[in-house]
Amino acid sequence: MLLPCSLTTAVIALLSVSARPSEGRLALVDNGYEDLVVAISPAVNEAYAMDLIWSIKRTVSEASAVLFKATRRRAFFRDVKILLPMTWTSTTYDQIAFNQHFQSSEIRVDVSNAAYGGQPYTDQPGGCGVPGRYIHLTPEYLLNDGEAAWWGPRGKTLVHEWAKLRWGVFAEVGFPHDPAAPPFFWNSQGEVHGAENVSPTYCANRELSGELRDDLTNASCSYVDGLPDANCRFRPNASQAASSSLLGYYHMNSIVEFCDSVFASEKPHAVLAPSRHNLMCKGRSVWDVMGLHPDFEGGANPPATASSPTKVTVLRPEVVRIALVLDYSSGMSDSRRIDKLQRSIKRWILREVPDGLFVGIIKFWSHAFPSAELTEVTGQSRKDLASHIDNILSSGCSIGAGLAMAMDVLENQNNPIIVVVSGSHEDNYPYIDDMLSKVVKFGARVVTVALGSETESKLHSLASATGGKAFTVSDEGEGGALDEALLGALGYQPGGRPDDARVKLHGFTRHAGNETVADSFIVDASVGRKLEFRLDTDRKVAFTERPHLIRPNGTRVDAETTDGVLWAVSLPVAEVGSWIWSLALPASEDCYIHVSVTARGREPGNSPILSRAWLNVGPYGVDIPNNPVIVYAEVKQGNNPVVDARVRATITQPSEDLDAVELDLLDNGQGADTQAGDGVYSRYYTLYSGAGRYSVEVQVWDDGYAYVNNGYEKSKQQFLKTPTYCCGSVVPASPDLGTPTGNFSRTVTVGSFQVLADPPAGDLLPPSRVTDLQASAAPLSLDLTWTAPGDDLDAGTVAGYEVRLSRNRSHLEDDSFDARGNETLLTLDESADMAELLLEAGQKVTLNLTLEDELERNRTYFVAIRAVDDVGLLSAASNPVVVVALESPPPVPPPVPPPARPQLQPWAIALIVSGSLVAVALVGGGVVYARRRRKRHENESRPDYANVGEMVFSNAGLSKC
């Protein structure tokens, strides 16, 4: 459903983990960043611990000085924490970590991503101005000075990445074999005179001197269509006058600033350069984007006199301390919520919580009661803790009282987590609002589970304010979602080895009765150790055929039960292949069935294929249509992206009468997805049926094409050592070097989001922006290719396109696209080529135009397009592309010309495709010509060209038609 942007829109509250962990507890206070966390992965060898710690301290200290100068004395690193892995037992540390975690750290030291090798990079799945997820550094980069020197001074390199992470800016250089951010471009808005008008892609406040060399031979570059070929690289001289940009060639000594569109010593931001930053941020400079961030917006953090030395503290994590805050008020009798709580909490304590964690239990109704003090989980204590979980309810409900008691239980404890499970409306003081600021100041993360909708929004706010996670369990469903929420609380436990990660292979939840229920799951070559099959029913059931597994070889393994509710199979190692589970219910029985299958990495030392998923509603909350919900899923083996997997999100709508929506997530660099091949698959969610809760689950599998990116082949004759691998619009890969994943599947419960008001009827969302437009020109032709957007962002099929060609790039920007030459939009009655242009979102579109009058040779023209949907909503203008019709060899004698017509010098070209309408127009000499693509009737005789009107030119452009 779509509506014009001016109408009131629905409000959505996100109920899942944020996609922006870099904005957790980190803050810029009086010019100094505090609580910046550099976390070391358990995959890193402890033998290098002291050298790594020393290098990290040196790097962040050097980066602080660079940052202070680059931000014009407005920011530096005041307080940095180095978080060690809990598996490191021999390394000296300063303090015990309070609530720092690897998965929410800003900088991560981890094994390399094969696509980038030792190069530092920032994981940036969001758009312009959206903070990244984390900076990735390798141990080799930190320990090997030669490896680090390849990419530039460590301090400047870290600031280069910090700008991407914190402020959502992008690289200002070109990348080999990257059509959206090429290494070279025509740097002219007029005539071109060969190589003197070809520039490397970069931003600098002074022209950079250097030479162009062939990467494979070190010889002079070859040219194709006037531009250097794919092997050509720009090699800047060591000595430069330029001082910007740190998002460009930051490794050079003179580069110490960010590019700015205003304060520049010689030349402002290079808006013509087709850099990734210009593509993502529509030509705005890095400083323009930075100035909109809360760090600097409105004059925040004005220049300081001096920075202070960076304080670095080494932390060692401890096991989590979890306070369960459980609702025992009378409202929990609704929809058997207390039964769900009792069953799931007991099972979680008995079977899910690892040994060594500490758990305490607080029950609340009108007041709170500490049912069990904080207790270390062991074989015996599990049973003792589980015995406290009963179903005796009392009147009144004060969640705030439960929170106050939890803080008492967790006082002076490190790594504190509060898990709140509630299904009742608050009616007793203190309320959540009364305790919120106190909980935030206390410092514990809060994971909330809303059973039903009574306290959903309040619990969500509580989780969001403390950097925790929020879940909602529908009354119509059973305990599966609650189980997932409780497992989410364990996500803050300091991780072990990557190969010991628990992987969910399969999930299944539905009501069943008088039938045989069966499904299958895949055990792939990367997993299989400690396989756990668990089937949960909402009550005891007398099965006609007990739950069981059938191995790939056809043999059967029966599930066992201790209480008639949970049935389980545990295997030390499961065979690779397709497994089947099955059960049969008699006519007299019906129940809810929840099945979960998990396993760990098959071989010690080898990481399994892992999938993580999350939702994002934009950096400033939900704002449809400006910031619609995006579903993300990351698929990797270790840190290496899994490419060409099938990733599908299933979104359950609020009404049981509506079918779930299936959304195929893509890793193509278009629409919601910002970088192709990075292993992060994404898609906008656009189908809002009304107010209520939307739950999201993601499934990942291979349908024969998926492979792990093991890097790409570099020629043995590569002479130039230019740091240009990361991060363009496409992650480099060589499919021939990749490892096929084989048949695999993963299931991830993402969470849910709440639509608080019915969306207005009508069309709400325009097509997404085209970001990969490519164009080439000859004097009488223009060839365009792009990836089709959707009618609603990146879903569906657009109704048409507008294409503009102008000598002035500024004419193609969003605010001038309509103002310049709008009168040239012509409409004809029909088109024979509509099917070739109006393709479903994600498909490649090709448009070949034959022009009526020649483009001026050796002159730059700029091309951009906009998509339009069936009610006239327009996308933003695409990336502008420059084309040049170069001088050609001596012409062949022309054919007999058509009837004489005025000779025109084209001022602009426009094409519109809308519904069944197509038109092409060239404007010049005061007359507009259109080429009719097909006759109205087969027996109708018409000339190919028709004079359709006259133009009057003014300084402002075209004034009337």
Side-chain angles (χ1 to χ4, degrees), residues 580-751:
I580 297 172
W581 64 264
S582 180
L583 58 86
L585 289 163
S588 59
E589 297 280 13
D590 67 282
C591 64
Y592 271 94
I593 295 171
H594 173 65
V595 172
S596 176
V597 181
T598 63
R600 301 180 189 271
R602 178 169 294 275
E603 299 291 339
N606 293 330
S607 298
I609 296 172
L610 295 177
S611 181
R612 303 173 180 87
W614 64 94
L615 305 171
N616 187 26
V617 292
Y620 306 110
V622 177
D623 180 16
I624 294 177
N626 295 322
N627 295 109
V629 172
I630 301 175
V631 184
Y632 291 96
E634 178 185 70
V635 190
K636 291 186 176 180
Q637 185 167 27
N639 286 314
N640 297 344
V642 174
V643 184
D644 291 341
R646 290 294 304 276
V647 183
R648 178 170 295 165
T650 301
I651 297 93
T652 303
Q653 302 191 74
S655 172
E656 287 188 300
D657 298 330
L658 297 175
D659 293 334
V661 176
E662 291 188 339
L663 187 67
D664 285 330
L665 309 186
L666 303 176
D667 187 14
N668 62 353
Q670 303 301 315
D673 194 69
T674 59
Q675 187 180 34
D678 63 349
V680 177
Y681 299 71
S682 58
R683 202 80 178 266
Y684 289 105
Y685 181 69
T686 60
L687 299 176
Y688 302 101
S689 59
R693 184 184 312 107
Y694 295 74
S695 299
V696 185
E697 183 176 81
V698 168
Q699 291 181 309
V700 182
W701 72 95
D702 167 50
D703 59 359
Y705 300 96
Y707 67 93
V708 180
N709 184 350
N710 292 325
Y712 62 100
E713 187 172 6
K714 306 175 186 66
S715 171
K716 294 180 180 178
Q717 294 181 317
Q718 185 179 14
F719 279 87
L720 307 184
K721 308 301 183 183
T722 51
T724 53
Y725 301 157
C726 175
C727 294
S729 62
V730 180
V731 175
S734 294
D736 293 343
L737 299 180
T739 303
T741 62
N743 198 4
F744 79 97
S745 65
R746 300 289 183 267
T747 300
V748 184
T749 299
V750 185

Side-chain angles (χ1 to χ4, degrees), residues 943-957:
D944 283 342
Y945 306 100
N947 183 336
V948 296
E950 294 190 351
M951 287 287 179
V952 178
F953 287 74
S954 71
N955 290 336

Side-chain angles (χ1 to χ4, degrees), residues 424-443:
S424 304
H425 179 72
E426 293 182 287
D427 58 11
N428 277 79
Y429 177 86
Y431 299 93
I432 290 176
D433 288 343
D434 299 314
M435 300 301 300
L436 183 58
S437 61
K438 296 178 182 179
V439 175
V440 171
K441 185 177 180 179
F442 181 75

Side-chain angles (χ1 to χ4, degrees), residues 1-3 7-12 624 653-654 685-692 694 753-765:
M1 296 189 303
L2 305 177
L3 271 186
L7 297 184
T8 302
T9 57
V11 180
I12 294 179
I624 294 177
Q653 302 191 74
Y685 181 69
T686 60
L687 299 176
Y688 302 101
S689 59
Y694 295 74
F753 57 90
Q754 177 80 4
V755 177
L756 302 178
D758 285 335
D763 199 329
L764 179 67
L765 300 170

